[in-house]
Amino acid sequence: EMQLVESGGGLVKPGLSLRLSCAASGFTFTDAWMRWVRQAPGRGLEWVGHIKSRSYGGTADYAAAVNGRFTISRDDSKNTVYLQMNSLETEDTAVYYCSTEITLGGVIYWGQGALVTVSS
Amino acid sequence: IQLTQSPSSLSASVGDRVTITCRASQGINNYLAWHQQKPGKAPKLLIYAGSTLQSEVPSRFSGSGSGTDFTLTINSLQPEDFATYYCQQVNSNPWTFGQGTKVEI
């Protein structure tokens, strides 16, 4: 069974850092582009960034709002993708979802989400 | 790629037929998905590849369209269909989403 499980959310003060993890199972993780999507309270879904599979270079791309502050990495040996969030701002308060699709245009899978609250 | 979803909200009765539209700013080769989201829950995939019903999703949900214009139809609306619906394109990076349609019963 395909599964994505996020962890690491919590309350953090502005300017500080937090790292989210997303553990994957039930599919060939090494072949998957892994995505992070967030949803601020009462708002819609917003793409945060993604990391390509190793066969596509394993590089990451980011939304303008987080570029330079957030870093996505992956550990294929652990089937886990990470979202390192530095210099957090109150506007980063959101539920962060890990997501992927196994084939282009195919089924899209979501984790249960991790709540990040940035507040003093 | 920008996705424009309409309406932003609607009110309907049980048994009604509901239609939500999603327009892309350029062609997306039918690589469009529809998700349902209930408060406090993760999005749930309903439709992918424009019209393919995800496993275990009731057949009252259907998707259609091609190119830039897509539609989600809910036939015979049920009380559990109260939710917000999002379209999403996966044709090109980055993924983008419509702004959502809140369906009130």
Side-chain angles (χ1 to χ4, degrees):
Chain A
E1 180 191 359
M2 167 77 179
Q3 198 169 17
L4 298 171
V5 179
E6 298 98 336
S7 59
L11 173 63
V12 61
K13 289 180 167 50
L16 297 187
S17 300
L18 199 64
R19 188 179 81 159
L20 302 182
S21 300
C22 171
S25 60
F27 64 101
T28 305
F29 182 79
T30 51
D31 292 341
W33 290 38
M34 298 302 298
R35 327 266 182 166
W36 287 97
V37 173
R38 70 182 179 183
Q39 186 171 39
R43 305 295 296 273
L45 299 166
E46 177 189 21
W47 171 80
V48 173
H50 61 243
I51 186 164
K52 303 172 186 176
S53 62
R54 180 179 293 231
S55 61
Y56 282 84
T59 56
D61 296 298
Y62 304 94
V66 307
N67 196 30
R69 299 187 298 122
F70 289 13
T71 301
I72 300 173
S73 60
R74 62 190 297 158
D75 186 337
D76 288 352
S77 69
K78 296 182 178 179
N79 285 3
T80 300
V81 61
Y82 303 98
L83 179 63
Q84 176 68 43
M85 302 181 289
N86 297 333
S87 303
L88 281 161
E89 304 169 353
T90 55
E91 294 77 17
D92 296 318
T93 294
V95 176
Y96 286 75
Y97 295 103
C98 172
S99 183
T100 191
E101 55 171 356
I102 307 306
T103 59
L104 176 60
V107 176
I108 297 161
Y109 298 93
W110 297 88
Q112 84 285 0
L115 176 61
V116 173
T117 304
V118 184
S119 174
S120 54
Chain B
I1 297 176
Q2 308 293 328
L3 296 181
T4 303
Q5 199 175 326
S6 62
S8 55
S9 66
L10 65 90
S11 222
S13 300
V14 173
D16 282 355
R17 182 181 187 185
V18 167
T19 299
I20 299 169
T21 64
C22 181
R23 173 165 287 177
S25 58
Q26 62 190 76
I28 56 173
N29 294 312
N30 290 359
Y31 289 144
L32 186 101
W34 290 97
H35 302 280
Q36 177 193 68
Q37 189 179 37
K38 296 184 177 180
K41 300 295 186 181
K44 173 188 175 183
L45 178 67
L46 300 175
I47 303 281
Y48 62 96
S51 61
T52 302
L53 193 67
Q54 168 64 334
S55 176
E56 299 186 3
V57 172
S59 59
R60 63 180 179 273
F61 292 93
S62 64
S64 64
S66 63
T68 60
D69 294 305
F70 298 86
T71 299
L72 173 70
T73 300
I74 311 172
N75 284 304
S76 189
L77 197 67
Q78 297 301 300
E80 60 267 30
D81 299 335
F82 161 75
T84 300
Y85 294 84
Y86 293 93
C87 60
Q88 175 196 11
Q89 71 81 22
V90 298
N91 180 70
S92 61
N93 291 300
W95 283 358
T96 50
F97 299 88
Q99 73 273 28
T101 297
K102 186 173 184 179
V103 175
E104 298 174 305
I105 305 297

